[in-house]
């Protein structure tokens, strides 16, 4: 009889599986997971499905003025806030450099608004505990009913986020391409 301890190999496999679906910096799900979940919800629901797209404001300015370590800290803080803003089975994903998405299965417009309110409330609390760069998001939402194309609703939420981002930078007097 020969026994082999495969504990280390199993841990390594579990970690690789984790890396395949998570963003290492923010600990949120990654774009690959988001795309898979989008396809799954498109096929199976439950309907309605709301989408929240959030973009971190001021990351470029933070990176330029305080360094990339400060920008990474801001991204980690964003991940903490977004992770705490949703309940399972929903989850937040980092889908780009400073862009995040939340798919809310079985959630209507009002439910999506409540998630946005929770995000903004957690941002306020988070900013009280961290000196330096203030955490701020531009957020857009949209809701998909059964039979609608979920990808079109993601684009609609994205367009609303960009409109909010434009308003943010116009109100703050900064050029978004420089800050």
């Amino acid at each position: 009889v020969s026994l082999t301890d495969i504990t280390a190999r199993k841990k390594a496999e579990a970690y690789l599986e984790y890396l395949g679906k998570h963003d290492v910096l923010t600990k949120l799900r990654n774009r690959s997971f988001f795309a898979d979940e989008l396809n799954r919800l498109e096929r199976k629901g439950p309907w309605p499905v709301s989408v929240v797209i959030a973009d971190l404001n001021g990351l470029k300015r933070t990176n330029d003025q305080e360094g990339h370590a400060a920008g990474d800290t801001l991204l980690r803080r964003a991940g903490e806030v977004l992770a705490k803003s949703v309940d399972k089975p929903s989850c937040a994903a980092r889908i780009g450099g400073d862009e995040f998405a939340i798919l809310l299965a079985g959630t209507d417009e009002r439910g999506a608004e409540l998630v946005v309110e929770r995000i903004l409330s957690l941002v306020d609390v988070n900013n009280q505990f961290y000196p330096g760069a203030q955490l701020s998001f531009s957020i857009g939402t949209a809701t998909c009913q059964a039979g609608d194309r979920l990808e079109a609703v993601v684009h609609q939420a994205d367009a609303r986020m960009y409109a909010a981002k434009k308003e943010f930078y116009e109100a703050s007097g900064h050029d978004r391409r420089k800050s």
Side-chain angles (χ1 to χ4, degrees):
V1 173
S2 174
L3 297 174
T4 304
D5 186 4
I6 61 169
T7 305
R9 187 175 76 199
K10 289 294 184 185
K11 284 183 181 179
E13 288 173 1
Y15 185 64
L16 288 174
E17 184 177 331
Y18 175 87
L19 290 177
K21 298 290 181 186
H22 290 81
D23 175 62
V24 177
L25 183 63
T26 63
K27 307 290 189 261
L28 297 176
R29 299 294 185 137
N30 63 17
R31 186 177 190 89
S32 174
F33 175 86
F34 175 76
D36 290 347
E37 188 67 3
L38 195 66
N39 289 331
R40 186 189 70 76
L41 289 172
E42 181 94 44
R43 289 188 319 271
K44 297 181 180 179
W47 305 100
V49 176
S50 290
V51 178
V52 177
I53 301 291
D55 195 84
L56 191 57
N57 294 322
L59 180 62
K60 181 178 178 358
R61 184 175 62 239
T62 300
N63 281 337
D64 291 348
Q65 294 177 355
E66 300 176 35
H68 288 278
D72 287 352
T73 298
L74 201 58
L75 286 166
R76 278 189 211 95
R77 289 173 53 199
E80 290 171 10
V81 164
L82 294 173
K84 290 178 181 172
S85 67
V86 294
D87 299 320
K88 289 187 178 188
S90 299
C91 63
R94 182 178 179 201
I95 60 172
D98 61 353
E99 193 166 1
F100 303 88
I102 303 170
L103 293 172
L104 302 165
T107 305
D108 61 7
E109 293 89 350
R110 180 64 188 134
E113 290 172 14
L114 290 172
V115 169
V116 170
E117 289 173 13
R118 193 176 314 149
I119 291 169
L120 297 176
S121 175
L122 288 169
V123 164
D124 289 341
V125 170
N126 188 284
N127 282 331
Q128 293 174 14
F129 290 99
Y130 290 94
Q134 293 290 294
L135 189 60
S136 170
F137 290 106
S138 293
I139 300 174
T141 65
T143 300
C144 182
Q145 301 298 330
D148 293 343
R149 293 283 306 157
L150 194 48
E151 190 173 318
V153 174
V154 170
H155 289 296
Q156 185 179 24
D158 202 43
R160 290 177 179 168
M161 179 276 298
Y162 277 111
K165 192 160 202 70
K166 182 179 177 187
E167 287 178 27
F168 170 81
Y169 282 108
E170 286 174 354
S172 68
H174 291 102
D175 182 348
R176 72 176 180 83
R177 290 174 298 276
K178 295 179 182 173
S179 56

